[in-house]
Amino acid sequence: MNQILQTKYLYKHFDGVKAVDKLSLSFEQGKITAVIGPNGSGKSTLINLLTGFVPFDSGEMVIAGKLHFTKVKCNEVAGYGLTRTFQDVRLFEQMPVLDNVLVVLTERSVWGSLFEKHGALHLAKAEEVLTRVGLWEKRRELARNLSYGQRKLLEIARMLAMNPEIIFFDEPFAGLFPEMRRVVVSVMQELRSAGKTQILVEHNMELIRELADHIFVLDSGELLAEGKPSEVLSKRDVIEAYLGE
Ligand code: ADP
Ligand code: MG
C-alpha cells in the first residue's frame, strides 16, 4: 500500500460554509478512488484545493509522503504530476481541437504555442490521444463547435497528453451518451493498468461500482464513510445522506 497523496486536516470555508472541514484522506497509488456525496458536500472544492484553483485556509497536502504543501499553486501542480478535468468543461474555445492538445504538449500558454513549430513527436502524441477518444477526424474544428460530449472527450485527450501521475476527474461522465461513457471508462481502466492514481467525483453509482477500488463519502465537507464500494454503498447512513439531498 503506497499512499501517494494525502490530505491532513485540510480546511476551507466560504463565509459561514465549511466546504472542506478538516479532511484527512489518503489516496493509494495506482488505484481509482471515488469521492461521492450529496450536492454541496465539498467534492469540487476538494479538487480545487488540491490543484491550486482555490487556496486552503489550513491543513496540508502531502505527495509521496515527502512533499508537504500548505499552499498549492495551480501553475505548478502539473510539474508535480497532478492534473484535473472540470465539472464545467474548460477549453480554448476559439482554437481548433488539435491545437487545444498541442498547447498542453508545448508551451502551455496560448500565445507561445501560436508561434511554436510543432515537432513530429508532439504531432504524433496529439494524434495518439485524439484518436484514443475518437476526435482525430474533428481536429480542425474549433473547440466551441463540438458537442457537449465531444468537449468532455477533448478535455480527457488534453489530460492524457500531459501524461500525469495523479488525475482528478470532476464528474467526467455527466451528460455523456453511453458510447462516450465507455470511452472514458476504458481510458480510466488503462490509466489504472499503467499505475496512475485517479480520483473520481461521480454521481452514477453503477459506474462507481464498476471503476472504484475505494470510496470516500463526504457530507458537509466531512468524511461520512469510507471503504470498498460493496461495503460503503450498502451502509444506511450513506444511503440516507443521498436520499436527504
Ligand atoms: P460539490 O462539488 O460536492 O457539489 P462544492 O465543493 O462545489 O460541492 O461546494 C461545497 C460548498 O461550498 C457548497 O456549500 C458551495 O455552495 C460552497 N462553495 C463552493 N465554492 C464556492 C465559492 N467559490 N464561493 C462560495 N461558496 C462556495
Ligand atoms: Mg461539484
Side-chain angles (χ1 to χ4, degrees):
M1 291 243 271
N2 189 359
Q3 307 302 343
I4 194 70
L5 178 72
Q6 291 168 297
T7 69
K8 296 194 173 160
Y9 303 104
L10 197 70
Y11 179 69
K12 177 69 189 180
H13 82 282
F14 296 105
D15 301 320
V17 178
K18 293 173 179 173
V20 167
D21 195 4
K22 305 194 178 76
L23 269 184
S24 297
L25 307 176
S26 283
F27 298 93
E28 208 178 319
Q29 187 165 27
K31 303 286 188 201
I32 298 175
T33 303
V35 178
I36 67 172
N39 280 332
S41 57
K43 307 180 298 293
S44 291
T45 301
L46 178 67
I47 296 180
N48 287 338
L49 298 180
L50 299 181
T51 51
F53 283 85
V54 171
F56 37 94
D57 299 330
S58 57
E60 61 175 8
M61 168 174 98
V62 185
I63 297 177
K66 284 182 194 154
L67 296 165
H68 294 255
F69 297 84
T70 50
K71 201 179 256 176
V72 179
K73 295 185 181 161
C74 72
N75 57 340
E76 289 178 2
V77 289
Y80 292 105
L82 273 61
T83 194
R84 66 171 300 172
T85 68
F86 288 90
Q87 191 169 348
D88 51 337
V89 187
R90 297 185 195 181
L91 300 166
F92 295 114
E93 301 293 343
Q94 53 290 75
M95 274 185 142
V97 166
L98 176 62
D99 296 73
N100 264 274
V101 175
L102 290 173
V103 169
V104 302
L105 282 170
T106 55
E107 272 285 333
R108 304 202 173 175
S109 87
V110 177
W111 185 253
S113 82
L114 284 177
F115 304 103
E116 175 146 350
K117 275 209 170 289
H118 295 292
L121 269 179
H122 288 155
L123 287 167
K125 185 69 187 176
E127 178 171 359
E128 177 196 318
V129 299
L130 285 171
T131 302
R132 182 68 191 81
V133 301
L135 285 179
W136 180 241
E137 302 304 317
K138 296 273 178 196
R139 63 191 175 278
R140 294 192 185 86
E141 283 284 348
L142 296 184
R144 64 165 183 249
N145 294 335
L146 297 181
S147 72
Y148 180 76
Q150 288 169 333
R151 295 160 56 76
K152 292 203 97 154
L153 292 176
L154 177 53
E155 213 183 27
I156 300 281
R158 282 163 52 102
M159 175 277 292
L160 289 172
M162 294 175 81
N163 194 28
E165 289 302 324
I166 301 175
I167 308 129
F168 298 90
F169 294 94
D170 200 350
E171 305 198 17
F173 300 102
L176 289 192
F177 288 115
E179 69 270 27
M180 288 178 168
R181 279 190 192 169
R182 295 325 298 174
V183 172
V184 180
V185 166
S186 67
V187 164
M188 292 188 72
Q189 286 167 337
E190 280 170 26
L191 288 167
R192 175 166 49 196
S193 301
K196 309 295 185 182
T197 305
Q198 300 172 83
I199 294 99
L200 170 65
V201 169
E202 180 54 47
H203 284 296
N204 183 318
M205 290 305 142
E206 258 171 66
L207 290 165
I208 299 272
R209 276 180 211 279
E210 181 176 357
L211 284 168
D213 299 298
H214 194 82
I215 299 184
F216 289 122
V217 186
L218 301 188
D219 193 18
S220 306
E222 292 183 281
L223 186 64
L224 178 70
E226 72 165 301
K228 290 199 177 80
S230 55
E231 300 159 8
V232 169
L233 297 178
S234 57
K235 282 189 179 165
R236 178 174 295 273
D237 51 350
V238 172
I239 296 162
E240 276 171 5
Y242 268 96
L243 292 178
E245 190 171 335

